[in-house]
Amino acid sequence: GSIGIPSPDEVLPKEAALVEWVIGQLSQGRPCLVYVWHWDLMTRVRAALERGLAAMDIGCGIGVWRPGSPDGAQRWAGTPARVSVMDPGKVAPAKREAWIAAEAKKRCAVLLTNPAAVKTGINSLARWWCSAGWVEGPGCSPEIRRQATHRLWRMGQGRPVEVASFVYAGTMQAAMHELLMRKVGVSE
C-alpha cells in the first residue's frame, strides 16, 4: 500500500503517547513544557493535546507558583488546561521571559516551543514548568538538548523534574535519539 499524509484530525501513536503523558503530569499538578523541533508538526501536536485534554475534561490543576507555598502551587479547580505555543518568530528574544510569565498567569498548563527558542536568555522556565516532553527531531544537537532541558533545573525549581522523549521504537529516529543521548551524556 501507499503511505499517505495523515489528516490533521488523526492522532498518530507518538502523539497519543505524548497526550497520555501530559494528562498524567497535569493530573499530578505538574505543568508541561513540550519541545517540538519542526514547526509544521507544532500544529498537529497542539491539536492532539487540546483534543486529548478536552476529551479527558482535565482541569489545569495548576497556578502561579509562589516560593514557600506548601505544595509549590496554587490550585484552580475546574479551570480547563490551556495549551500555548511560543513562536520564536513572533516573540522577540528580549520579550520571551515576559511572554512566558504572562502565559503562565493565564493558566497555561502546556507550553509548546522549539528547543532552540529557549537555549539562551530564559531563566524563568523553572518557576512555571517542571515536566518536559520532547517530540524528537533529527536536527537537535546535544548542546541544544542539554540547554533546553536544563532550563527546568534553574534556581527556583522546588519540584522534581521529569523529562520524557517520544520516538518510534525500532526506527532510525530511535537510533538517532539513542546517539543524541549518548552525546549529551558524554558532554556533561
Side-chain angles (χ1 to χ4, degrees):
S2 66
I3 298 175
I5 298 173
S7 77
D9 295 330
E10 182 181 356
V11 178
L12 301 176
K14 183 166 62 172
E15 296 160 0
L18 171 68
V19 169
E20 182 178 323
W21 179 80
V22 166
I23 288 170
Q25 295 298 305
L26 294 179
S27 69
Q28 298 173 52
R30 299 176 55 80
C32 299
L33 177 62
V34 176
Y35 292 119
V36 180
W37 191 256
H38 297 288
W39 280 101
D40 55 344
L41 184 60
M42 189 71 67
T43 303
R44 287 188 60 78
V45 171
R46 181 180 191 167
L49 283 165
E50 287 175 341
R51 282 191 305 270
L53 295 175
M56 294 298 294
D57 194 29
I58 189 165
C60 78
I62 62 166
V64 177
W65 280 267
R66 299 203 185 350
S69 65
D71 65 354
Q74 176 183 4
R75 306 273 175 198
W76 285 307
T79 302
R82 267 185 80 247
V83 178
S84 296
V85 175
M86 184 177 73
D87 182 344
K90 294 180 180 174
V91 182
K95 296 183 179 188
R96 290 181 187 161
E97 291 247 14
W99 186 93
I100 288 168
E103 288 300 302
K105 288 176 183 173
K106 292 182 211 170
R107 303 174 184 159
C108 170
V110 183
L111 174 65
L112 280 75
T113 194
N114 183 296
V118 299
K119 70 180 182 178
T120 59
I122 305 229
N123 295 314
S124 65
L125 289 176
R127 290 180 58 205
W128 313 111
W129 290 278
C130 58
S131 298
W134 283 81
V135 179
E136 288 294 341
C140 192
S141 72
E143 176 187 10
I144 290 174
R145 170 73 188 218
R146 185 178 52 254
Q147 287 175 330
T149 300
H150 286 185
R151 292 285 169 215
L152 297 178
W153 275 283
R154 293 290 174 128
M155 292 183 297
Q157 180 61 275
R159 297 162 292 166
V161 172
E162 184 171 327
V163 178
S165 297
F166 298 89
V167 297
Y168 288 111
T171 65
M172 182 57 78
Q173 182 186 52
M176 290 176 67
H177 173 70
E178 184 179 326
L179 177 61
L180 174 66
M181 297 318 301
R182 280 199 313 254
K183 288 180 177 181
V184 168
V186 168
S187 67
E188 290 189 328

